[in-house]
Amino acid sequence: MLPRLVPRQPLRLFRWQAACAQGASVQRRTWASRIPRLLGPWGPVGNSPPVCRRSSSTPAGSPEVALTQERYPVKRLPFSTPSEADLAAFERIIPGRVVTDTEVLAASNVDWLRTVRGCSRVLLRPRTSEEVAHILRYCHERNLAVNPQGGNTGMVGGSVPVFDEIILSTALMNQVISFHSVSGTLVCQAGCILEELSQYVEARGFVMPLDLGAKGSCHIGGNVATNAGGLRFLRYGSLHGTVLGLEVVLADGTVLNCLSALRKDNTGYDLKQLFIGSEGTLGVITAVSIQCPPKPRAVNVAFLGCPGFAEVLQTFSTCKGLLGEILSAYEFMDAECMWLVRHHLHLTSPVQESPFYVLIETSGSRAEHDAEKLNDFLEQALRSGLVTDGTVATDQMKLKALWALRERISEALSWDGYVYKYDLSLPTDTLYDLVTDLRARLGSQAKHVVGYGHLGDGNLHLNVTSEAFSRSLLDALEPYVYEWTAGHRGSVSAEHGLGFKKKDALHYSKPPAALRLMQQLKALLDPKGILNPYKTLPAQA
């Protein structure tokens, strides 16, 4: 018996534009007449691909970004300044891969959001951990500050220099070292691009446990260094659980090889955990061992409209109860997010306008089983008034089209002006209250105040846009946002890290004893403080 994806209610109330089960020819003919509406602007003519954010998506002709040292109250620490002798030494270590070209450095000095800018005059591109070790050993002896950089897709200013730190790029460290076809263990260098790793393991019947909007640009080493959460966190958990081992080069050039491929290793301190989320301040990650789960055989995506945030929450509760083990993502976005992707990226919602939208993904091993469970959930959500309109997709192209509405919000925001980004963890019942509160607080000071994120993880992405950077607007946002978050027992960073922008807000989420211990660990592993200075930890802890 074939699963029924067409709800029992009249189609004028609820429109499903995708099909599921093989052999459902009658339903397919019915849905086929509505497929153009689903594709909308995602068709092949004259549109950007509905995948990954890239640094090149920055609006053309944008004004030059102000130097971080001019925009923020930060003072240069007493590091040495790179000299001609230093350049010659680097050239001996990595011949032909010492970059001083101003155009190349211009791109590496600015974050992709175009909110912070350093003035480094040296970019180093090693290929091996041994070369990284030689570079750091030299920099440690010379007291030269180093800024590790992966794909430069960070959101908090952690991936670019603050002053003239030497940029250590992992871009050429992009080799897969090994893959075990039974266990799904992938070992690779830190500079491998996440999307390319995804394609590599998918061809072998597995998936990466991490998926991000920036997957076309971000590096796995940077993902681990920032403990990126992403779209699959609900299903596969954090990198603290899926990373099996790391190879890390310490500040003095010591190579720490903890590149284990074992699922269980209960011998002493789990040192790799120190470096996951340390944002390059304790060591430079050069290789990663990560556990990849089997590739699901059946994937469905539903994009739904909800009349209010209370219904978004109730839909999630219903979703967990009825979809259970096949639920792999539950994302939400508000109406202003949809306006931004429509206005700036020319993407159109396949459902009628709603105050809120949710994207639900299921991943399982049996298409018929998953389709039946999803259909039962959708019928109940519709019947109870939690959902007012929606669409479902199983075809790969349509799946990407629906995901684009969620993944490209950050890109759309970057086209709207200067972006103040806040990545917060909050109890789900109060998750959206901060957005409503800020709209009233800021009024006409802001162009847009939007909220979206990973509801299944309690992760709110709060974004405020203005025509240009405004000190008065920043003062209205900070520390108010952090105080509000702390008052509601939340975290000031859910998955983006602290970087440069949030380092002084750490005390809102960690007690003084924790701050002191972090500072002691930094002093132990990097006594001269040369690794990614001015980031992650406040100047005094």
Side-chain angles (χ1 to χ4, degrees):
M1 180 176 175
L2 294 172
R4 297 180 63 258
L5 286 187
V6 181
R8 297 183 180 91
Q9 284 74 11
L11 282 175
R12 61 184 175 84
L13 295 179
F14 208 93
R15 296 178 293 281
W16 302 117
Q17 281 100 0
C20 258
Q22 292 184 354
S25 57
V26 175
Q27 289 93 329
R28 277 208 186 105
R29 283 195 294 271
T30 304
W31 291 319
S33 64
R34 288 191 288 270
I35 282 177
R37 178 169 174 255
L38 174 63
L39 292 177
W42 303 310
V45 181
N47 293 282
S48 303
V51 271
C52 74
R53 181 187 72 233
R54 299 180 184 270
S55 298
S56 60
S57 63
T58 302
S62 298
E64 185 175 44
V65 180
L67 287 169
T68 303
Q69 58 184 296
E70 296 175 354
R71 176 173 285 172
Y72 294 93
V74 57
K75 293 182 179 180
R76 188 184 187 277
L77 295 173
F79 297 114
S80 300
T81 300
S83 65
E84 290 297 325
D86 295 326
L87 295 181
F90 293 139
E91 187 64 33
R92 288 192 294 272
I93 298 171
I94 49 170
R97 286 171 280 135
V98 179
V99 180
T100 56
D101 181 271
T102 54
E103 289 189 9
V104 176
L105 283 163
S108 297
N109 268 305
V110 181
D111 72 324
W112 88 273
L113 289 172
R114 298 182 61 79
T115 59
V116 288
R117 179 165 72 96
C119 52
S120 175
R121 290 176 288 179
V122 184
L123 170 67
L124 306 179
R125 306 185 72 187
R127 286 198 177 99
T128 67
S129 58
E130 290 76 18
E131 290 178 343
V132 174
H134 289 157
I135 290 168
L136 290 186
R137 189 175 305 118
Y138 181 87
C139 290
H140 187 261
E141 293 171 356
R142 281 276 296 122
N143 195 35
L144 291 165
V146 178
N147 182 99
Q149 187 176 93
N152 194 13
T153 59
M155 302 283 196
V156 287
S159 59
V160 296
V162 174
F163 292 97
D164 60 346
E165 301 90 90
I166 292 168
I167 301 173
L168 180 63
S169 170
T170 59
L172 299 183
M173 303 178 68
N174 57 5
Q175 301 300 307
V176 171
I177 299 171
S178 66
F179 181 76
H180 196 280
S181 59
V182 175
S183 67
T185 303
L186 171 73
V187 181
C188 64
Q189 288 185 297
C192 291
I193 293 173
L194 179 59
E195 187 170 43
E196 293 178 1
L197 289 178
S198 295
Q199 294 168 352
Y200 178 91
V201 299
E202 284 182 20
R204 290 156 177 80
F206 292 82
V207 295
M208 290 295 289
L210 177 70
D211 188 19
L212 306 170
K215 59 193 169 189
S217 303
C218 64
H219 296 182
I220 188 63
N223 298 150
V224 174
T226 57
N227 190 27
L231 306 169
R232 290 176 176 162
F233 189 101
L234 180 64
R235 179 67 171 268
Y236 301 121
S238 77
L239 291 171
H240 280 292
T242 55
V243 170
L244 302 179
L246 294 175
E247 179 185 73
V248 181
V249 181
L250 304 183
D252 65 357
T254 299
V255 178
L256 181 65
N257 190 340
C258 294
L259 204 59
S260 172
L262 300 174
R263 289 288 302 275
K264 303 177 77 173
D265 180 7
N266 196 13
T267 52
Y269 304 130
D270 192 359
L271 295 178
K272 70 175 181 292
Q273 301 296 348
L274 280 176
F275 302 97
I276 300 173
S278 66
E279 303 185 74
T281 62
L282 299 181
V284 177
I285 295 172
T286 52
V288 178
S289 173
I290 191 166
Q291 181 69 47
C292 299
K295 181 180 179 179
R297 296 182 181 179
V299 177
N300 299 280
V301 171
F303 194 81
L304 316 173
C306 292
F309 193 70
E311 286 76 14
V312 171
L313 294 176
Q314 292 174 48
T315 300
F316 180 52
S317 296
T318 304
C319 191
K320 287 193 296 181
L322 294 179
L323 297 180
E325 78 288 351
I326 65 170
L327 179 62
S328 53
Y330 190 96
E331 304 286 312
F332 89 98
M333 56 190 283
D334 62 23
E336 287 203 39
C337 290
M338 184 62 73
W339 185 91
L340 288 166
V341 297
R342 181 174 66 245
H343 180 75
H344 293 299
L345 305 180
H346 310 294
L347 302 182
T348 304
S349 169
V351 302
Q352 59 187 267
E353 290 189 19
S354 302
F356 291 91
Y357 304 87
V358 298
L359 184 150
I360 299 168
E361 182 187 79
T362 65
S363 303
S365 57
R366 289 183 55 212
E368 296 82 1
H369 169 267
D370 294 0
E372 183 175 357
K373 295 191 75 166
L374 181 60
N375 190 59
D376 289 344
F377 156 72
L378 294 171
E379 288 189 349
Q380 181 165 326
L382 174 65
R383 217 170 28 242
S384 58
L386 299 178
V387 171
T388 55
D389 193 19
T391 185
V392 176
T394 57
D395 172 83
Q396 189 64 26
M397 183 177 68
K398 300 182 184 70
L399 290 174
K400 289 183 176 181
L402 292 179
W403 267 113
L405 292 170
R406 163 62 183 87
E407 288 184 315
R408 298 184 70 187
I409 295 172
S410 192
E411 179 186 348
L413 284 159
S414 72
W415 284 84
D416 201 52
Y418 188 90
V419 189
Y420 305 82
K421 301 189 80 70
Y422 299 94
D423 159 52
L424 311 166
S425 281
L426 288 163
T428 53
D429 57 338
T430 60
L431 193 72
Y432 197 75
D433 292 350
L434 179 55
V435 181
T436 305
D437 191 348
L438 271 185
R439 284 177 181 156
R441 175 180 173 84
L442 300 178
S444 60
Q445 278 187 277
K447 286 181 66 178
H448 293 283
V449 179
V450 307
Y452 66 98
H454 321 294
L455 187 76
D457 318 327
N459 186 179
L460 170 69
H461 293 312
L462 168 70
N463 289 256
V464 178
T465 65
S466 61
E467 291 294 347
F469 174 80
S470 165
R471 171 54 62 178
S472 61
L473 180 52
L474 180 61
D475 291 342
L477 287 165
E478 298 177 17
Y480 181 81
V481 169
Y482 301 136
E483 291 172 346
W484 196 101
T485 300
H488 289 77
R489 307 177 310 283
S491 169
V492 298
S493 179
E495 63 179 2
H496 292 166
L498 297 165
F500 172 76
K501 294 181 181 178
K502 287 187 176 183
K503 63 185 177 66
D504 293 320
L506 181 55
H507 69 279
Y508 288 104
S509 297
K510 291 291 186 293
L515 291 177
R516 286 194 298 271
L517 183 56
M518 290 181 192
Q519 200 76 29
Q520 290 165 1
L521 287 169
K522 170 70 172 175
L524 175 66
L525 295 175
D526 182 16
K528 292 187 176 181
I530 66 169
L531 289 179
N532 222 10
Y534 322 104
K535 316 285 178 60
T536 306
L537 296 178
Q540 297 295 327

Short mmCIF file of all heavy atoms in Angstrom, two decimals, residues 78-128:
data_model
loop_
_atom_site.label_atom_id
_atom_site.label_comp_id
_atom_site.label_asym_id
_atom_site.label_seq_id
_atom_site.Cartn_x
_atom_site.Cartn_y
_atom_site.Cartn_z
N PRO A 78 52.95 43.81 22.41
CA PRO A 78 54.36 44.01 22.00
C PRO A 78 54.96 42.84 21.23
O PRO A 78 55.96 42.24 21.65
CB PRO A 78 55.08 44.24 23.33
CG PRO A 78 54.27 43.47 24.33
CD PRO A 78 52.84 43.63 23.87
N PHE A 79 54.37 42.51 20.10
CA PHE A 79 54.93 41.49 19.23
C PHE A 79 55.94 42.14 18.28
O PHE A 79 55.89 43.35 18.02
CB PHE A 79 53.83 40.81 18.41
CG PHE A 79 52.81 40.07 19.23
CD1 PHE A 79 51.49 40.49 19.29
CD2 PHE A 79 53.17 38.95 19.96
CE1 PHE A 79 50.55 39.82 20.04
CE2 PHE A 79 52.25 38.26 20.73
CZ PHE A 79 50.94 38.71 20.77
N SER A 80 56.83 41.32 17.73
CA SER A 80 57.76 41.81 16.72
C SER A 80 57.01 42.11 15.43
O SER A 80 55.92 41.59 15.19
CB SER A 80 58.85 40.77 16.46
OG SER A 80 59.58 40.48 17.63
N THR A 81 57.63 42.94 14.61
CA THR A 81 57.08 43.27 13.30
C THR A 81 57.83 42.46 12.25
O THR A 81 59.08 42.42 12.27
CB THR A 81 57.23 44.77 13.00
OG1 THR A 81 56.53 45.51 14.00
CG2 THR A 81 56.67 45.11 11.63
N PRO A 82 57.12 41.78 11.33
CA PRO A 82 57.81 40.98 10.31
C PRO A 82 58.80 41.82 9.50
O PRO A 82 58.48 42.93 9.05
CB PRO A 82 56.67 40.47 9.43
CG PRO A 82 55.47 40.49 10.32
CD PRO A 82 55.66 41.68 11.22
N SER A 83 60.00 41.28 9.33
CA SER A 83 61.06 41.99 8.61
C SER A 83 61.43 41.25 7.33
O SER A 83 60.93 40.14 7.06
CB SER A 83 62.29 42.09 9.51
OG SER A 83 62.82 40.78 9.76
N GLU A 84 62.31 41.85 6.55
CA GLU A 84 62.79 41.19 5.34
C GLU A 84 63.52 39.89 5.68
O GLU A 84 63.42 38.90 4.96
CB GLU A 84 63.73 42.14 4.58
CG GLU A 84 63.03 43.33 3.94
CD GLU A 84 62.02 42.91 2.89
OE1 GLU A 84 62.27 41.91 2.18
OE2 GLU A 84 60.96 43.56 2.78
N ALA A 85 64.23 39.89 6.81
CA ALA A 85 64.92 38.67 7.23
C ALA A 85 63.91 37.57 7.56
O ALA A 85 64.14 36.38 7.27
CB ALA A 85 65.80 38.97 8.44
N ASP A 86 62.77 37.96 8.16
CA ASP A 86 61.73 36.98 8.45
C ASP A 86 61.14 36.40 7.16
O ASP A 86 60.91 35.19 7.06
CB ASP A 86 60.61 37.63 9.27
CG ASP A 86 61.09 38.08 10.65
OD1 ASP A 86 61.96 37.40 11.22
OD2 ASP A 86 60.59 39.11 11.13
N LEU A 87 60.91 37.27 6.19
CA LEU A 87 60.38 36.80 4.90
C LEU A 87 61.34 35.81 4.25
O LEU A 87 60.93 34.79 3.67
CB LEU A 87 60.12 37.98 3.97
CG LEU A 87 59.04 38.98 4.40
CD1 LEU A 87 58.89 40.08 3.35
CD2 LEU A 87 57.70 38.27 4.60
N ALA A 88 62.63 36.10 4.34
CA ALA A 88 63.62 35.20 3.76
C ALA A 88 63.62 33.86 4.49
O ALA A 88 63.75 32.79 3.86
CB ALA A 88 65.00 35.85 3.84
N ALA A 89 63.44 33.89 5.82
CA ALA A 89 63.39 32.65 6.59
C ALA A 89 62.16 31.83 6.21
O ALA A 89 62.23 30.60 6.05
CB ALA A 89 63.38 32.97 8.08
N PHE A 90 61.02 32.48 6.04
CA PHE A 90 59.80 31.78 5.64
C PHE A 90 59.95 31.20 4.24
O PHE A 90 59.46 30.10 3.95
CB PHE A 90 58.60 32.73 5.69
CG PHE A 90 58.23 33.18 7.07
CD1 PHE A 90 57.86 34.50 7.31
CD2 PHE A 90 58.23 32.30 8.14
CE1 PHE A 90 57.51 34.92 8.59
CE2 PHE A 90 57.88 32.71 9.41
CZ PHE A 90 57.52 34.03 9.63
N GLU A 91 60.64 31.93 3.36
CA GLU A 91 60.84 31.44 2.00
C GLU A 91 61.68 30.17 1.99
O GLU A 91 61.47 29.28 1.16
CB GLU A 91 61.52 32.54 1.16
CG GLU A 91 61.63 32.22 -0.32
CD GLU A 91 60.29 32.09 -1.03
OE1 GLU A 91 59.33 32.79 -0.63
OE2 GLU A 91 60.19 31.26 -1.96
N ARG A 92 62.59 30.06 2.94
CA ARG A 92 63.40 28.83 3.03
C ARG A 92 62.54 27.65 3.52
O ARG A 92 62.77 26.51 3.14
CB ARG A 92 64.58 29.06 3.97
CG ARG A 92 65.67 29.95 3.39
CD ARG A 92 66.93 29.90 4.23
NE ARG A 92 66.75 30.48 5.57
CZ ARG A 92 66.92 31.76 5.86
NH1 ARG A 92 67.26 32.62 4.89
NH2 ARG A 92 66.74 32.19 7.09
N ILE A 93 61.55 27.94 4.38
CA ILE A 93 60.70 26.88 4.93
C ILE A 93 59.67 26.41 3.90
O ILE A 93 59.45 25.21 3.72
CB ILE A 93 60.00 27.38 6.21
CG1 ILE A 93 61.02 27.72 7.29
CG2 ILE A 93 59.02 26.31 6.73
CD1 ILE A 93 60.40 28.41 8.50
N ILE A 94 59.04 27.37 3.22
CA ILE A 94 57.99 27.04 2.22
C ILE A 94 58.29 27.81 0.93
O ILE A 94 57.63 28.82 0.64
CB ILE A 94 56.57 27.35 2.76
CG1 ILE A 94 56.49 28.77 3.34
CG2 ILE A 94 56.13 26.34 3.79
CD1 ILE A 94 55.06 29.21 3.66
N PRO A 95 59.22 27.36 0.15
CA PRO A 95 59.62 28.09 -1.06
C PRO A 95 58.44 28.36 -2.00
O PRO A 95 57.66 27.47 -2.30
CB PRO A 95 60.64 27.15 -1.72
CG PRO A 95 61.10 26.25 -0.63
CD PRO A 95 59.94 26.09 0.31
N GLY A 96 58.32 29.62 -2.41
CA GLY A 96 57.28 30.00 -3.38
C GLY A 96 55.90 30.15 -2.80
O GLY A 96 54.95 30.44 -3.54
N ARG A 97 55.76 30.00 -1.48
CA ARG A 97 54.43 30.08 -0.88
C ARG A 97 54.36 31.12 0.24
O ARG A 97 53.57 31.02 1.16
CB ARG A 97 54.01 28.69 -0.37
CG ARG A 97 53.63 27.74 -1.50
CD ARG A 97 53.42 26.32 -1.04
NE ARG A 97 54.70 25.62 -0.87
CZ ARG A 97 54.99 24.87 0.17
NH1 ARG A 97 54.14 24.73 1.16
NH2 ARG A 97 56.17 24.26 0.25
N VAL A 98 55.22 32.12 0.11
CA VAL A 98 55.18 33.29 0.99
C VAL A 98 54.56 34.42 0.17
O VAL A 98 55.13 34.88 -0.82
CB VAL A 98 56.58 33.69 1.48
CG1 VAL A 98 56.51 34.93 2.37
CG2 VAL A 98 57.23 32.53 2.21
N VAL A 99 53.36 34.85 0.55
CA VAL A 99 52.59 35.80 -0.25
C VAL A 99 52.68 37.20 0.39
O VAL A 99 52.38 37.36 1.58
CB VAL A 99 51.12 35.37 -0.36
CG1 VAL A 99 50.33 36.37 -1.20
CG2 VAL A 99 51.02 33.97 -0.95
N THR A 100 53.09 38.16 -0.42
CA THR A 100 53.10 39.56 0.03
C THR A 100 52.33 40.46 -0.92
O THR A 100 52.30 41.68 -0.74
CB THR A 100 54.56 40.07 0.14
OG1 THR A 100 55.21 39.91 -1.12
CG2 THR A 100 55.31 39.31 1.22
N ASP A 101 51.69 39.86 -1.92
CA ASP A 101 50.90 40.62 -2.88
C ASP A 101 49.75 41.33 -2.18
O ASP A 101 48.96 40.70 -1.45
CB ASP A 101 50.35 39.68 -3.96
CG ASP A 101 49.53 40.41 -5.01
OD1 ASP A 101 48.31 40.54 -4.80
OD2 ASP A 101 50.12 40.86 -6.01
N THR A 102 49.62 42.62 -2.38
CA THR A 102 48.63 43.41 -1.63
C THR A 102 47.19 43.03 -1.95
O THR A 102 46.33 43.08 -1.07
CB THR A 102 48.84 44.91 -1.90
OG1 THR A 102 48.81 45.15 -3.32
CG2 THR A 102 50.16 45.40 -1.34
N GLU A 103 46.92 42.63 -3.19
CA GLU A 103 45.55 42.26 -3.55
C GLU A 103 45.13 40.96 -2.87
O GLU A 103 44.00 40.84 -2.38
CB GLU A 103 45.41 42.13 -5.07
CG GLU A 103 45.47 43.46 -5.80
CD GLU A 103 45.11 43.31 -7.27
OE1 GLU A 103 44.66 42.21 -7.66
OE2 GLU A 103 45.28 44.28 -8.02
N VAL A 104 46.03 39.98 -2.85
CA VAL A 104 45.73 38.73 -2.17
C VAL A 104 45.55 38.98 -0.68
O VAL A 104 44.61 38.47 -0.05
CB VAL A 104 46.85 37.69 -2.41
CG1 VAL A 104 46.57 36.41 -1.62
CG2 VAL A 104 46.97 37.38 -3.90
N LEU A 105 46.43 39.77 -0.11
CA LEU A 105 46.35 40.07 1.31
C LEU A 105 45.10 40.87 1.66
O LEU A 105 44.54 40.71 2.74
CB LEU A 105 47.60 40.83 1.75
CG LEU A 105 48.85 39.95 1.91
CD1 LEU A 105 50.11 40.78 1.94
CD2 LEU A 105 48.74 39.13 3.19
N ALA A 106 44.64 41.70 0.75
CA ALA A 106 43.44 42.49 1.01
C ALA A 106 42.25 41.58 1.29
O ALA A 106 41.47 41.82 2.21
CB ALA A 106 43.14 43.41 -0.17
N ALA A 107 42.12 40.51 0.51
CA ALA A 107 41.00 39.58 0.70
C ALA A 107 41.16 38.80 2.00
O ALA A 107 40.17 38.51 2.68
CB ALA A 107 40.91 38.63 -0.48
N SER A 108 42.40 38.46 2.36
CA SER A 108 42.63 37.67 3.56
C SER A 108 42.58 38.49 4.84
O SER A 108 42.48 37.94 5.93
CB SER A 108 43.99 36.97 3.46
OG SER A 108 44.01 36.06 2.38
N ASN A 109 42.68 39.80 4.71
CA ASN A 109 42.63 40.68 5.87
C ASN A 109 41.22 41.05 6.30
O ASN A 109 41.02 41.60 7.39
CB ASN A 109 43.41 41.98 5.59
CG ASN A 109 44.86 41.89 6.00
OD1 ASN A 109 45.17 41.59 7.15
ND2 ASN A 109 45.77 42.15 5.06
N VAL A 110 40.23 40.80 5.44
CA VAL A 110 38.85 41.20 5.72
C VAL A 110 37.97 39.97 5.89
O VAL A 110 38.07 39.02 5.11
CB VAL A 110 38.28 42.08 4.58
CG1 VAL A 110 36.86 42.52 4.89
CG2 VAL A 110 39.16 43.29 4.35
N ASP A 111 37.12 39.97 6.91
CA ASP A 111 36.19 38.85 7.07
C ASP A 111 35.12 38.92 6.01
O ASP A 111 34.88 39.98 5.40
CB ASP A 111 35.58 38.85 8.48
CG ASP A 111 34.58 39.96 8.69
OD1 ASP A 111 34.76 41.06 8.13
OD2 ASP A 111 33.59 39.74 9.41
N TRP A 112 34.43 37.81 5.77
CA TRP A 112 33.47 37.76 4.67
C TRP A 112 32.27 38.67 4.92
O TRP A 112 31.60 39.13 3.98
CB TRP A 112 33.03 36.32 4.38
CG TRP A 112 31.86 35.85 5.18
CD1 TRP A 112 31.89 35.30 6.41
CD2 TRP A 112 30.48 35.93 4.80
NE1 TRP A 112 30.62 35.02 6.83
CE2 TRP A 112 29.74 35.39 5.86
CE3 TRP A 112 29.80 36.39 3.67
CZ2 TRP A 112 28.36 35.30 5.83
CZ3 TRP A 112 28.43 36.30 3.63
CH2 TRP A 112 27.72 35.76 4.70
N LEU A 113 31.99 38.98 6.19
CA LEU A 113 30.91 39.90 6.51
C LEU A 113 31.29 41.35 6.28
O LEU A 113 30.44 42.23 6.32
CB LEU A 113 30.48 39.72 7.98
CG LEU A 113 29.73 38.45 8.33
CD1 LEU A 113 29.57 38.35 9.84
CD2 LEU A 113 28.38 38.41 7.65
N ARG A 114 32.59 41.60 6.07
CA ARG A 114 33.12 42.94 5.86
C ARG A 114 32.83 43.84 7.07
O ARG A 114 32.35 44.97 6.93
CB ARG A 114 32.56 43.56 4.56
CG ARG A 114 32.95 42.77 3.32
CD ARG A 114 32.43 43.40 2.05
NE ARG A 114 32.95 44.74 1.83
CZ ARG A 114 34.14 45.03 1.35
NH1 ARG A 114 34.99 44.05 1.05
NH2 ARG A 114 34.53 46.28 1.16
N THR A 115 33.14 43.33 8.24
CA THR A 115 32.93 44.10 9.47
C THR A 115 34.23 44.33 10.24
O THR A 115 34.27 45.21 11.10
CB THR A 115 31.94 43.39 10.40
OG1 THR A 115 32.44 42.09 10.73
CG2 THR A 115 30.58 43.24 9.73
N VAL A 116 35.26 43.53 9.98
CA VAL A 116 36.55 43.71 10.63
C VAL A 116 37.66 43.57 9.59
O VAL A 116 37.52 42.83 8.62
CB VAL A 116 36.78 42.69 11.77
CG1 VAL A 116 35.90 43.01 12.97
CG2 VAL A 116 36.52 41.27 11.30
N ARG A 117 38.77 44.31 9.81
CA ARG A 117 39.87 44.28 8.83
C ARG A 117 41.20 44.48 9.53
O ARG A 117 41.36 45.42 10.32
CB ARG A 117 39.67 45.35 7.76
CG ARG A 117 40.80 45.40 6.71
CD ARG A 117 40.37 46.22 5.51
NE ARG A 117 40.32 47.64 5.78
CZ ARG A 117 41.31 48.51 5.52
NH1 ARG A 117 42.44 48.08 4.99
NH2 ARG A 117 41.15 49.79 5.78
N GLY A 118 42.13 43.60 9.22
CA GLY A 118 43.48 43.74 9.73
C GLY A 118 44.39 44.35 8.67
O GLY A 118 43.95 44.76 7.59
N CYS A 119 45.69 44.40 8.97
CA CYS A 119 46.64 44.98 8.02
C CYS A 119 47.89 44.11 7.91
O CYS A 119 49.01 44.62 7.87
CB CYS A 119 47.00 46.41 8.42
SG CYS A 119 47.56 46.60 10.12
N SER A 120 47.69 42.79 7.86
CA SER A 120 48.81 41.88 7.69
C SER A 120 49.46 42.09 6.33
O SER A 120 48.78 42.36 5.34
CB SER A 120 48.33 40.43 7.81
OG SER A 120 49.40 39.54 7.54
N ARG A 121 50.78 41.93 6.30
CA ARG A 121 51.52 42.07 5.05
C ARG A 121 52.19 40.76 4.63
O ARG A 121 52.94 40.74 3.67
CB ARG A 121 52.57 43.17 5.20
CG ARG A 121 51.96 44.57 5.29
CD ARG A 121 53.00 45.63 5.52
NE ARG A 121 53.54 45.57 6.88
CZ ARG A 121 54.49 46.38 7.35
NH1 ARG A 121 55.01 47.31 6.57
NH2 ARG A 121 54.91 46.26 8.59
N VAL A 122 51.86 39.67 5.36
CA VAL A 122 52.47 38.37 5.06
C VAL A 122 51.43 37.27 5.17
O VAL A 122 50.74 37.16 6.19
CB VAL A 122 53.64 38.06 6.03
CG1 VAL A 122 54.32 36.75 5.61
CG2 VAL A 122 54.64 39.20 6.07
N LEU A 123 51.33 36.46 4.12
CA LEU A 123 50.44 35.29 4.11
C LEU A 123 51.29 34.06 3.80
O LEU A 123 51.99 34.02 2.78
CB LEU A 123 49.34 35.46 3.05
CG LEU A 123 48.48 34.24 2.72
CD1 LEU A 123 47.60 33.87 3.91
CD2 LEU A 123 47.61 34.51 1.49
N LEU A 124 51.25 33.08 4.67
CA LEU A 124 52.02 31.85 4.50
C LEU A 124 51.08 30.70 4.15
O LEU A 124 50.01 30.57 4.75
CB LEU A 124 52.80 31.52 5.77
CG LEU A 124 53.71 32.63 6.32
CD1 LEU A 124 54.41 32.17 7.59
CD2 LEU A 124 54.73 33.06 5.27
N ARG A 125 51.52 29.83 3.21
CA ARG A 125 50.65 28.75 2.74
C ARG A 125 51.38 27.41 2.82
O ARG A 125 51.85 26.87 1.80
CB ARG A 125 50.19 29.04 1.31
CG ARG A 125 49.52 30.39 1.14
CD ARG A 125 48.98 30.59 -0.26
NE ARG A 125 47.81 29.78 -0.50
CZ ARG A 125 47.21 29.65 -1.68
NH1 ARG A 125 47.70 30.26 -2.74
NH2 ARG A 125 46.15 28.89 -1.81
N PRO A 126 51.48 26.83 3.99
CA PRO A 126 52.14 25.53 4.15
C PRO A 126 51.28 24.40 3.57
O PRO A 126 50.07 24.56 3.39
CB PRO A 126 52.28 25.39 5.65
CG PRO A 126 51.15 26.19 6.21
CD PRO A 126 50.98 27.35 5.28
N ARG A 127 51.95 23.27 3.31
CA ARG A 127 51.23 22.10 2.79
C ARG A 127 51.20 20.95 3.80
O ARG A 127 50.38 20.05 3.67
CB ARG A 127 51.90 21.59 1.50
CG ARG A 127 51.65 22.45 0.28
CD ARG A 127 51.95 21.66 -0.99
NE ARG A 127 51.66 22.42 -2.19
CZ ARG A 127 52.59 23.07 -2.92
NH1 ARG A 127 53.85 23.04 -2.53
NH2 ARG A 127 52.25 23.73 -4.00
N THR A 128 52.10 20.97 4.77
CA THR A 128 52.21 19.84 5.71
C THR A 128 52.29 20.34 7.14
O THR A 128 52.61 21.51 7.40
CB THR A 128 53.48 19.01 5.41
OG1 THR A 128 54.64 19.80 5.70
CG2 THR A 128 53.51 18.56 3.95
#
